[in-house]
């Protein structure tokens, strides 16, 4: 059994903190918060199919390890990642989503991209 090293009581992230995170100089500057504040979203295009699936495999392993699973949509080299915590009531963006988004952003940097779509 993998270690859910991250599973803990999810804490909702305040809107002001989210705004700082996705601001131009923020650690998640290339991420967006949906209008309903329920999801963190990142789009990216990789340089080829192999880089795309290297990234997706790395993210899937991290999600499995942490017990926190993004919604991922991909077409060829385009990838859209969405993070939300359904353990919150109502569902929304938690500290776990922020931690996972930062890890995903680092992972993107480990693969060659054609620049993010945002
Ligand atoms: C019991 C299980 O660990 C929880 O339901 C986890 C599973 N993976 C999850 N993934 C995401 N994205 N959000 C969650 O709230 C969540 N909860």
């Amino acid at each position: 059994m993998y270690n859910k090293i991250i599973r803990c009581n999810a804490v909702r992230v305040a809107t002001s903190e989210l705004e700082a995170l996705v601001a131009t100089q923020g650690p998640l500057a290339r991420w967006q918060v949906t209008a309903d504040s329920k999801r963190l979203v990142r789009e990216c295009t990789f340089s080829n199919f192999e880089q795309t699936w290297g990234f997706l495999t790395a993210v899937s392993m991290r999600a499995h390890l942490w017990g926190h699973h993004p919604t991922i949509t991909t077409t060829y080299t385009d990838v859209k990642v969405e993070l939300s915590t359904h353990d919150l009531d109502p569902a929304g963006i938690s500290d776990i989503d922020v931690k996972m988004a930062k890890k995903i952003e680092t992972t993107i940097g480990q693969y060659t991209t054609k620049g993010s779509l945002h």
Side-chain angles (χ1 to χ4, degrees):
M1 180 68 179
Y2 55 89
N3 297 318
K4 287 189 177 182
I5 59 171
I6 196 171
R7 181 48 52 200
C8 57
N9 291 329
V11 176
R12 193 180 303 277
V13 180
T15 302
S16 57
E17 185 179 343
L18 285 174
E19 287 169 351
L21 286 165
V22 300
T24 306
Q25 302 303 323
L28 299 179
R30 291 183 164 173
W31 291 70
Q32 290 181 308
V33 177
T34 53
D36 62 4
S37 296
K38 288 190 183 294
R39 287 172 289 122
L40 268 172
V41 182
R42 173 73 153 95
E43 294 185 87
C44 185
T45 299
F46 292 89
S47 54
N48 59 50
F49 195 64
E50 294 83 351
Q51 291 294 308
T52 303
W53 279 94
F55 165 76
L56 291 172
T57 302
V59 170
S60 66
M61 293 298 100
R62 182 63 57 184
H64 188 54
L65 185 66
W66 283 4
H68 199 71
H69 308 82
T71 297
I72 298 176
T73 311
T74 182
T75 303
Y76 187 44
T77 57
D78 292 337
V79 173
K80 181 176 183 180
V81 179
E82 300 177 82
L83 286 166
S84 182
T85 298
H86 55 248
D87 292 344
L88 293 176
D89 183 17
I93 300 170
S94 74
D95 57 328
I96 303 173
D97 295 310
V98 171
K99 189 175 179 70
M100 178 67 87
K102 289 176 178 176
K103 189 66 180 178
I104 289 171
E105 192 62 27
T106 300
T107 306
I108 289 173
Q110 295 166 350
Y111 295 87
T112 55
T113 66
K114 290 178 182 170
S116 71
L117 298 179
H118 290 274

